[in-house]
């Protein structure tokens, strides 16, 4: 059994994940103990793969659902039904959070936005006094879906719906309700387009160039040495003549006295 678990863990791409093998083995053994009086219509491969799925969920590790379906040999509906049964037998009926869903689907980049939308939803629900159980997984699932839509991250509804426990028609109805709610209560922060950013950069560059040009215009030009020399000599000669004239005038006054 241990060898088979190791092989399937490797095929699921979880060999390098710490403690997944141990947790999966633990769940398989616990399942065998608790299902003594509950006949499980599932083969060993399916049992181990489902326990690996549950172990990954518990540890917040991404899990390849498509590969799991192939290895288990189960139809998708059969797989999901057995997973719910295992959760009950193992007391793992934990409701998936926004973060759980994002981790499972590899959507970590939308987790923050989804949490933000979930907060908006809870706030609106509290304000309106609506008697809604906000912990139901349909709302966390819809928060992730709407977050993906807002930040333009494509995600398949078929991958999200199993987390919501809703039928397609119910999911679509909830989607419409959330779109109306977000349009009314959630405002996206305006992000400058690349064109606007480029325009601002060009404007700043032009201002810098103009300022630099003005500084250059204000800077006095260097005077040629010969011109400067001639100018200084002429100034000195003029002052010398003025001084001589002043001295002569003083001498005349002294003689007259």
């Amino acid at each position: 059994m241990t060898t088979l678990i190791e092989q399937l863990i490797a095929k699921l791409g979880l060999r390098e994940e710490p403690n997944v093998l141990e947790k999966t083995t633990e769940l398989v053994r616990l399942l065998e103990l608790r299902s003594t009086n509950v006949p499980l219509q599932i083969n060993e491969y399916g049992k181990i793969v489902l326990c690996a799925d549950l172990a990954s969920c518990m540890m917040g590790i991404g899990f390849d659902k498509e590969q799991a379906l192939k290895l288990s040999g189960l139809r998708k509906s059969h797989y999901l039904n057995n997973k719910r049964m295992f959760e009950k037998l193992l007391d793992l009926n934990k409701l998936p959070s926004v973060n759980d869903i994002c981790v499972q689907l590899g959507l970590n980049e939308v987790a923050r936005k989804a949490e933000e939308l979930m907060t908006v939803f809870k706030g609106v629900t509290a304000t309106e006094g609506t008697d809604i159980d906000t912990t139901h997984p349909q709302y966390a699932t819809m928060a992730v879906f709407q977050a993906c839509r807002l930040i333009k991250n494509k995600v398949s509804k078929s991958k999200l719906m199993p987390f919501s426990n809703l039928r397609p028609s119910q999911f679509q109805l909830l989607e419409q309700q959330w779109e109306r709610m977000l349009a009314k209560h959630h405002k996206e922060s305006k992000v400058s387009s690349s064109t606007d950013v480029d325009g601002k950069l060009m404007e700043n560059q032009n201002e810098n160039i103009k300022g630099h040009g003005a500084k250059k215009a204000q800077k006095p030009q260097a005077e040629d040495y010969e011109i400067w020399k001639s100018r200084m000599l002429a100034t000195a000669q003029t002052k010398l003549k003025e001084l001589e004239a002043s001295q002569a005038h003083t001498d005349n006054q002294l003689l007259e006295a």
Side-chain angles (χ1 to χ4, degrees):
M1 175 66 76
T2 303
T3 303
L4 181 57
I5 295 175
E6 290 175 350
Q7 291 174 352
L8 291 174
I9 288 292
K11 289 181 179 180
L12 287 166
L14 299 172
R15 177 184 287 172
E16 302 302 323
E17 295 290 348
N19 304 321
V20 174
L21 175 60
E22 292 79 0
K23 192 64 181 177
T24 301
T25 304
E26 176 190 331
L27 293 178
V28 170
R29 290 173 179 169
L30 184 60
L31 183 66
E32 289 176 348
L33 290 173
R34 295 191 177 182
S35 62
T36 305
N37 299 321
V38 181
L40 299 177
Q41 304 297 323
I42 188 171
N43 59 36
E44 288 299 319
Y45 279 71
K47 189 187 299 182
I48 294 170
V49 169
L50 279 166
C51 285
D53 188 348
L54 294 172
S56 297
C57 289
M58 294 170 67
M59 301 172 72
I61 296 171
F63 189 76
D64 190 340
K65 300 284 187 184
E66 293 182 5
Q67 178 70 351
L69 281 172
K70 291 178 183 178
L71 293 173
S72 68
L74 302 172
R75 294 192 305 275
K76 189 173 183 179
S77 58
H78 196 193
Y79 184 98
L80 293 174
N81 289 336
N82 276 281
K83 184 177 179 180
R84 293 191 189 100
M85 184 190 298
F86 283 18
E87 287 173 338
K88 291 178 181 178
L89 288 171
L90 298 169
D91 293 328
L92 300 176
N93 287 332
K94 178 189 173 184
L95 297 174
S97 65
V98 164
N99 189 59
D100 293 332
I101 296 170
C102 288
V103 168
Q104 286 294 303
L105 297 180
L107 297 171
N108 295 326
E109 66 276 12
V110 305
R112 187 172 180 179
K113 173 60 71 176
E115 290 285 6
E116 178 187 326
L117 299 184
M118 195 66 189
T119 301
V120 172
F121 170 68
K122 289 179 178 178
V124 171
T125 302
T127 302
E128 295 179 350
T130 311
D131 186 18
I132 292 178
D133 180 11
T134 57
T135 62
H136 192 284
Q138 63 179 311
Y139 302 118
T141 305
M142 185 53 63
V144 173
F145 177 75
Q146 293 294 339
C148 288
R149 182 179 65 83
L150 288 174
I151 66 175
K152 296 178 173 57
N153 189 325
K154 292 183 179 180
V155 62
S156 172
K157 287 184 183 180
S158 61
K159 291 183 178 180
L160 276 168
M161 278 197 288
F163 291 99
S164 69
N165 294 335
L166 297 177
R167 294 191 299 275
S169 58
Q170 293 173 318
F171 190 91
Q172 186 175 3
L173 180 61
L174 183 64
E175 179 184 347
Q176 294 169 355
Q177 292 172 349
W178 268 63
E179 286 178 355
R180 288 194 296 270
M181 183 268 293
L182 293 177
K184 184 177 180 181
H185 299 284
H186 180 259
K187 293 182 179 179
E188 278 289 292
S189 57
K190 186 178 180 182
V191 180
S192 299
S193 66
S194 59
T195 305
D196 294 337
V197 173
D198 291 342
K200 288 181 180 179
L201 286 174
M202 287 294 293
E203 185 179 341
N204 290 336
Q205 287 176 354
N206 290 335
E207 288 179 359
N208 290 337
I209 291 171
K210 288 179 181 178
H212 188 59
K215 288 180 181 178
K216 280 188 174 181
Q218 293 171 3
K219 184 178 179 180
Q221 293 182 351
E223 189 176 16
D224 184 77
Y225 174 74
E226 292 299 329
I227 296 174
W228 174 81
K229 182 179 177 181
S230 298
R231 184 169 58 81
M232 294 302 292
L233 286 172
T235 302
Q237 288 175 355
T238 301
K239 287 185 177 181
L240 182 61
K241 287 179 181 179
E242 290 176 354
L243 183 61
E244 288 176 348
S246 176
Q247 185 65 38
H249 180 69
T250 302
D251 292 343
N252 290 333
Q253 287 181 338
L254 289 172
L255 289 171
E256 291 175 357

